[in-house]
């Protein structure tokens, strides 16, 4: 699966007030800006548009309309081909002149449409973000963009450069030995995982593994070379034998405003850390893959970001 990490560096032109968690704000304005940039039939509903299968906006934000699910896909509808990782700060007020940065992760062929995303974020800066202060939202200027470390754009020359920074993301084969050890999972942004049709505030290892299998399978089936050959039932069964050695998890609630539904929505997810102990070796490829692409519901907002490390 083609995988691009694009880091945007920006500077505010006026004061801005942003929410505690900024992912939904960035995602919402990005969607409005992208549609403004690429939509050919401004008054046409996406579901009725003849161009929906070719349109970059529907591919990114209305993915179910743009393409049919992959054959035998385990997760329907298909996942969005992007994740926004917002600024990693709890700060809510930003004075004019403040610098901030964020990342856009792209999966599959939409990486080839990156110029549209670059221009959309430029337009996003003109639209403004956050709550209005003295009648204006926080406008910002885009100063530079990096792709996996390569500088691909600067405001000084305003030219998009080619890059060799795109990666191919695969699910690596598990090690042959099912080594027993401890591993600590730190959940950096709220994780929303459903099991038996409800969100859980705890995180048994088999629930975590089920979520990773869904995420990996759906992304590779939709944007990669097809669904990976995995022993799903066997992995879940063996995951049930891995125990929780320590846990410092809690449920975090936050609100986001939905432009589409025109109302505030209460969101929530697990944050904190949990340490597992058992035969974890064969799950390392899943952990490595999902740590790069996020996990659970609302990953497009940047939710479900986690890291893992072996501990004594």
């Amino acid at each position: 699966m083609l995988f691009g990490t694009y880091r945007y560096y920006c500077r505010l032109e006026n004061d801005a007030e942003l929410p505690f968690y900024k992912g939904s704000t960035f995602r919402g304005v990005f969607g409005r800006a992208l549609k403004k940039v690429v939509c050919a039939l401004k008054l046409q509903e996406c579901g009725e548009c003849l161009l929906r299968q070719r349109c970059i906006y529907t591919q990114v934000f209305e993915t179910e309309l743009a393409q049919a699910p992959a054959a035998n896909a385990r997760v329907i509808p298909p996942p969005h081909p992007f994740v926004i990782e917002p600024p990693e700060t709890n700060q809510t007020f930003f004075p004019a002149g403040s610098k901030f940065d964020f990342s856009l992760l792209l999966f599959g062929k939409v990486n080839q449409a990156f110029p549209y995303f670059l221009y959309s974020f430029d337009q996003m800066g003109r639209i403004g973000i956050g709550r209005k202060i003295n009648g204006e939202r926080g406008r910002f200027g885009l100063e530079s963009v990096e792709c996996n470390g390569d500088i691909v754009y600067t405001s000084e020359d305003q030219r998009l450069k080619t890059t060799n920074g795109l990666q191919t993301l695969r699910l690596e084969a598990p090690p042959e030995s099912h080594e027993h050890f401890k591993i600590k999972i730190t959940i950096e942004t709220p994780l929303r995982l459903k099991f038996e049709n409800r969100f859980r505030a705890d995180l048994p290892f088999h629930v975590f593994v089920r979520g990773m299998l869904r995420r990996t399978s759906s992304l590779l089936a939709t944007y990669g070379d097809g669904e990976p050959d995995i022993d799903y039932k066997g992995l879940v069964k063996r995951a049930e034998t891995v125990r929780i050695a320590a846990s410092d998890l809690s449920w975090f609630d936050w609100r986001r405003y939905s432009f589409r539904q025109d109302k505030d929505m209460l969101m929530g997810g697990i944050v904190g850390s949990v340490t597992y102990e058992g035969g974890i070796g064969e799950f390392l490829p899943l952990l490595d893959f999902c740590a790069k692409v996020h996990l659970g519901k609302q990953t497009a907002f940047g939710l479900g970001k986690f890291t893992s490390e072996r501990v004594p």
Side-chain angles (χ1 to χ4, degrees):
M1 180 179 74
L2 200 61
F3 178 57
T5 301
Y6 303 87
R7 194 74 178 171
Y8 289 74
Y9 296 90
C10 311
R11 185 189 297 269
L12 282 164
E13 297 174 354
N14 58 334
D15 294 347
E17 183 179 345
L18 301 176
F20 177 85
Y21 184 74
K22 302 158 185 64
S24 61
T25 296
F26 276 70
R27 187 261 190 199
V29 183
F30 171 42
R32 292 162 58 197
L34 182 62
K35 191 168 187 178
K36 179 180 178 181
V37 167
V38 305
C39 184
L41 304 175
K42 303 297 183 183
L43 301 180
Q44 187 80 44
E45 293 292 332
C46 292
E48 301 171 357
C49 182
L50 295 176
L51 303 178
R52 62 183 180 273
Q53 292 184 325
R54 298 285 184 179
C55 175
I56 295 299
Y57 174 80
T58 52
Q59 290 177 33
V60 174
F61 282 93
E62 304 286 353
T63 312
E64 190 174 5
L65 298 177
Q67 62 183 61
N72 300 319
R74 292 174 179 270
V75 179
I76 300 174
H80 296 296
F82 78 100
V83 169
I84 291 179
E85 294 183 336
E88 297 177 357
T89 175
N90 296 334
Q91 181 180 344
T92 56
F93 177 75
F94 298 81
S98 297
K99 291 185 176 183
F100 67 92
D101 54 79
F102 61 92
S103 290
L104 174 69
L105 314 182
L106 295 179
F107 313 131
K109 293 182 180 179
V110 294
N111 279 278
Q112 299 167 3
F114 174 69
Y116 290 102
F117 303 130
L118 177 66
Y119 186 55
S120 295
F121 278 108
D122 179 74
Q123 292 297 302
M124 179 175 161
R126 300 183 186 188
I127 293 172
I129 54 176
R131 294 183 179 274
K132 289 184 178 180
I133 300 178
N134 298 324
E136 293 187 336
R137 302 187 190 277
R139 298 188 309 277
F140 63 87
L142 181 59
E143 295 191 337
S144 64
V145 182
E146 294 181 356
C147 176
N148 295 334
D150 289 349
I151 297 176
V152 295
Y153 172 85
T154 66
S155 58
E156 295 177 356
D157 59 23
Q158 296 190 350
R159 295 179 62 185
L160 184 60
K161 302 171 184 174
T162 58
T163 177
N164 295 320
L166 293 179
Q167 301 174 345
T168 300
L169 193 58
R170 300 182 178 90
L171 181 65
E172 301 296 337
E176 292 184 4
S177 62
H178 296 175
E179 186 181 358
H180 282 60
F181 54 86
K182 289 183 181 179
I183 194 163
K184 181 179 180 180
I185 305 297
T186 301
I187 302 171
E188 299 183 351
T189 60
L191 172 63
R192 294 166 56 82
L193 279 181
K194 270 189 173 181
F195 178 63
E196 296 180 339
N197 207 32
R198 65 182 182 89
F199 289 109
R200 300 200 48 145
D202 59 346
L203 196 58
F205 190 65
H206 74 91
V207 173
F208 192 54
V209 167
R210 290 171 194 267
M212 290 194 294
L213 289 171
R214 285 194 299 270
R215 180 66 167 161
T216 303
S217 172
S218 62
L219 282 176
L220 292 179
T222 308
Y223 305 114
D225 294 329
E227 185 173 337
D229 183 14
I230 300 176
D231 177 16
Y232 292 91
K233 291 183 178 179
L235 282 171
V236 170
K237 185 175 181 179
R238 291 189 292 275
E240 292 174 346
T241 68
V242 176
R243 72 180 190 89
I244 295 176
S247 180
D248 185 24
L249 298 174
S250 60
W251 186 263
F252 174 75
D253 276 322
W254 57 286
R255 291 185 179 275
R256 61 174 288 260
Y257 176 74
S258 170
F259 281 99
R260 178 177 296 183
Q261 300 185 43
D262 190 26
K263 66 178 182 179
D264 283 331
M265 300 180 65
L266 182 65
M267 306 286 284
I270 302 170
V271 294
S273 64
V274 57
T275 300
Y276 299 110
E277 182 176 15
I280 298 171
E282 66 175 318
F283 300 99
L284 292 180
L286 279 172
L287 287 164
D288 291 341
F289 186 96
C290 290
K292 295 181 176 72
V293 300
H294 294 227
L295 184 63
K297 300 284 188 180
Q298 282 80 42
T299 53
F301 300 163
L303 298 189
K305 182 179 182 181
F306 72 89
T307 59
S308 63
E309 59 176 330
R310 290 179 62 162
V311 294

